[in-house]
Amino acid sequence: MRLTGTGSRAARIAVTTALMVGAFFLGSFYLQNHQGHGALMTGVLLPVALVTMAAASAAGRVIGRLGARLLAAVTLAVAAAGFLVPVLWSGTAAMVTGVSMAAAGLGALFVVAVATALSSVAPHEAGVASGIVSTFHEFGASVGAAVVSSAAASSIAVRTGANAASGFDDAFFVATGVAALSAVIALRLIPSKHE
């Protein structure tokens, strides 16, 4: 039964979802509660859904040529760079730029995560494998929200003062580290297109 490796492959979807939910949470919370934008303006400023869909579509067209390993490493590096932008610069423009970059990398990474999780299962095991991927997706979302909200707790609790954004910086730095470490791990664990 080839289904045994699906759990470790599905862990990629957990990391991807954790980072994506973290980006949504932090970007939205920062723009609304720290920069004073309303919910509608925050939605307009963060075109995360559009960027995610465009990146996923592009990844679907190039994964066969580049291979899952290279595409995963590149997309995680893009996500890490995106998460680093709001750590280095503050303000609405930096947040929108950083979260959009991270969403582009993670949108493409969703394609890699799902493709690698489901590519090696037998047809009669596809339903179970898909269920495992969905479970890891939900698990990743809950872990991502918990980790970034814990890291950003000081900024969530304190909305004014000189250190009001330090918790957001901490949370984005954690996300940067997770994405960068995941890029290195992807180079080691994801099979190349020729394997």
Side-chain angles (χ1 to χ4, degrees):
M1 182 175 204
R2 292 185 293 178
L3 192 60
T4 56
T6 303
S8 64
R9 289 185 213 106
R12 293 178 197 128
I13 200 81
V15 170
T16 307
T17 307
L19 290 170
M20 183 64 82
V21 168
F24 284 153
F25 177 85
L26 291 173
S28 298
F29 209 99
Y30 177 87
L31 290 174
Q32 290 183 51
N33 293 353
H34 188 66
Q35 292 293 316
H37 298 292
L40 179 61
M41 182 54 72
T42 296
V44 170
L45 287 172
L46 289 177
V48 176
L50 295 174
V51 172
T52 301
M53 288 187 303
S57 177
R61 290 190 298 272
V62 300
I63 191 170
R65 281 181 277 156
L66 296 179
R69 177 188 294 165
L70 179 60
L71 189 57
V74 168
T75 59
L76 282 161
V78 169
F83 285 126
L84 192 57
V85 169
V87 173
L88 300 175
W89 298 281
S90 61
T92 299
M95 182 61 63
V96 170
T97 301
V99 170
S100 296
M101 283 177 61
L106 295 170
L109 186 59
F110 272 113
V111 172
V112 175
V114 172
T116 58
L118 300 177
S119 65
S120 65
V121 297
H124 68 279
E125 296 171 329
V128 174
S130 179
I132 292 169
V133 168
S134 294
T135 300
F136 275 74
H137 181 273
E138 297 306 314
F139 176 72
S142 61
V143 169
V147 169
V148 298
S149 63
S150 296
S154 65
S155 290
I156 292 170
V158 179
R159 295 189 184 114
T160 60
N163 294 327
S166 66
F168 287 110
D169 292 345
D170 293 345
F172 274 106
F173 192 71
V174 167
T176 300
V178 170
L181 179 60
S182 296
V184 172
I185 291 170
L187 288 172
R188 301 272 317 192
L189 296 183
I190 295 177
S192 72
K193 65 180 181 176
H194 302 295
E195 291 177 21

